[in-house]
Amino acid sequence: AEEGNFKNWSHQAADFILAALKDLSLGGKIDETIESIVNSLIMRLMRRMCNGSQRDEFVHNNFQFYVQHLMRKLGSDPYIGQRVIFSVSQRISIAAESLLFMDPFDNAFPEMHISIYMMIQLIEFLISDYLLSWSARRDFDSKLLEDWVISVFHARKGLELLESRNAVYMLYMDRVVGELTRLLGRDPFLQMLKPDTLDRLFG
């Protein structure tokens, strides 16, 4: 029952946030305060997705999945979705650096290992689900697009250093980058991105 309540609550909360953000956007009322609130929400959800619940492993994994799904739903709006990708890709870079120097027998190692997969998967979902529809929006922020594309490539570079420990990270990340490159090769994006970013994508 508690699990069902959480799912219902999270869907209602996501619908409310998306509707409120749409109204604010139409009214031209999105300002630094709203941006700060959205960024804070993203950081809190990301921490919960990565750290999960303190209960048994089954509940723990389910909880992480539900939070990931909530972030995926909120990400349907480009204002939130682009910021999620930027924040999550930065978190991947930090996690990759930590894993590089972490003892594999450290108790925190498996948790961080799982969280990296969850984060890569979330980025993949957002890119494949929404990137094209985001670009059709008049309020699409091309500067933020540039920022998170660079951040995703930086995250990939960080994971590359871990390839000798776990090559699966790179398999997942290369799939994400491949899909991203395929979508960004379309007309609307080619005009949005700077030449050096395009060189990084297609060079």
Side-chain angles (χ1 to χ4, degrees), residues 76-89:
S76 62
D77 187 291
Y79 189 86
I80 298 178
Q82 291 209 99
R83 284 167 173 78
V84 169
I85 296 179
F86 183 70
S87 297
V88 170
S89 57

Side-chain angles (χ1 to χ4, degrees), residues 98-114:
S98 297
L99 276 180
L100 192 62
F101 301 104
M102 184 180 286
D103 182 347
F105 297 102
D106 189 307
N107 290 336
F109 188 88
E111 189 67 44
M112 194 172 291
H113 175 74
I114 292 169

Side-chain angles (χ1 to χ4, degrees), residues 11 14-19 21-22 42 68-85 122 125-137 139-140:
H11 278 285
D15 289 339
F16 174 80
I17 292 168
L18 290 170
L21 194 61
K22 183 178 180 181
I42 290 169
Q68 185 203 59
H69 182 73
L70 176 59
M71 295 181 79
R72 182 180 181 180
K73 183 171 183 177
L74 287 170
S76 62
D77 187 291
Y79 189 86
I80 298 178
Q82 291 209 99
R83 284 167 173 78
V84 169
I85 296 179
L122 178 58
F125 284 150
L126 292 173
I127 288 171
S128 59
D129 288 352
Y130 303 126
L131 184 54
L132 291 179
S133 62
W134 288 346
S135 67
R137 291 268 298 261
D139 57 349
F140 183 67

Side-chain angles (χ1 to χ4, degrees), residues 46-54 60 64 91 111 115:
M46 184 164 57
R47 279 197 296 269
R48 296 308 297 269
M49 182 182 74
C50 292
N51 298 333
S53 167
Q54 300 304 314
H60 173 85
Q64 288 179 298
R91 180 72 175 256
E111 189 67 44
S115 72

Side-chain angles (χ1 to χ4, degrees), residues 35-51:
E35 183 177 6
S36 176
I37 292 170
V38 168
N39 286 335
S40 177
L41 174 64
I42 290 169
M43 295 306 294
R44 286 172 181 270
L45 288 173
M46 184 164 57
R47 279 197 296 269
R48 296 308 297 269
M49 182 182 74
C50 292
N51 298 333

